[in-house]
């Protein structure tokens, strides 16, 4: 989002493998001890302003700049519903698949099957929705920006994008954006 908006920013890596997210300085910014979080040095009323939760951050930056969230109400709420789809479905379910396939100390077949099926179902919802359209909303928006990084890890949750041709087309178009390419390198994927 910051690359798309052309806003200057500084990155402060949080190594969740080492527990950096539980340090007092980070908890003051992100009480839930999760990434991402931001501090806008030029926040409302000209004072620093901190936010946590990716959806809130995206909406804040869209509001601050007047970009990447449609202004017309129906279009705005369409983008927001797909942002919430990512926040309530894609992120949590894909995240569980990632955990049980890549990080769990032992293989849990039930969890892998359960979250894997739900992940594929969500891909199907997106694929159906993206038939004949370019974006999750009516235009490229915070919904696409929030969802793309999860789809970019499709191999992590053993999904072949060829099974979801509309998602693949959407994914390829977004991935070709120079701003997205730069943003996906911050921080460098593991």
């Amino acid at each position: 989002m910051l690359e798309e908006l052309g806003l200057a920013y500084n990155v402060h890596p949080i190594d969740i493998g080492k527990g950096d997210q539980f340090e007092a300085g980070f908890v003051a910014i992100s009480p839930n001890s999760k990434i991402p979080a931001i501090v806008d040095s030029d926040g409302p009323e000209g004072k620093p302003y901190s936010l946590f939760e990716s959806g809130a951050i995206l909406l804040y930056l869209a509001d601050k700049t007047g970009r990447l969230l449609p202004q017309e109400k129906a279009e705005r709420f369409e983008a927001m519903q797909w942002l919430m789809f990512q926040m309530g479905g894609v992120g949590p379910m894909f995240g569980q698949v990632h955990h049980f396939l890549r990080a769990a100390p032992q293989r849990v077949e039930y969890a892998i099957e359960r979250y894997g099926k739900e992940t594929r179902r969500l891909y199907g919802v997106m694929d159906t929705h993206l038939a004949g359209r370019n974006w999750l909303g009516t235009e490229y928006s915070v919904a696409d920006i929030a969802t793309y990084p999860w789809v970019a890890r499709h191999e992590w949750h053993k999904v072949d994008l060829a099974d979801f041709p509309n998602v693949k087309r959407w994914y390829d178009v977004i991935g070709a954006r120079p701003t997205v390419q730069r943003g996906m390198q911050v921080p460098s994927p593991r």
Side-chain angles (χ1 to χ4, degrees), residues 28-42:
I29 297 165
S30 180
N32 196 27
S33 299
K34 302 278 184 184
I35 56 174
I38 68 167
V39 176
D40 180 359
S41 59
D42 186 29

Side-chain angles (χ1 to χ4, degrees), residues 70-129:
Q71 298 303 306
E72 192 273 319
K73 270 192 178 182
E75 292 179 1
R76 183 179 190 85
F77 282 107
E78 183 171 359
M80 288 174 65
Q81 77 181 348
W82 285 99
L83 174 62
M84 296 305 119
F85 172 81
Q86 185 280 316
M87 302 303 303
V90 169
M93 294 301 109
F94 290 19
Q96 291 298 321
V97 170
H98 294 174
H99 173 76
F100 285 105
L101 287 173
R102 297 175 55 89
Q106 59 212 337
R107 190 164 175 87
V108 181
E109 292 301 328
Y110 172 78
I112 292 168
E113 182 179 347
R114 173 179 163 75
Y115 294 118
K117 278 184 178 177
E118 181 61 5
T119 292
R120 291 189 65 78
R121 188 190 74 77
L122 294 169
Y123 269 99
V125 170
M126 288 188 291
D127 200 64
T128 298
H129 178 68

Side-chain angles (χ1 to χ4, degrees), residues 79 82 128 145 155 161 166:
W82 285 99
T128 298
I145 292 167
E155 288 126 357
L161 289 184
N166 297 313

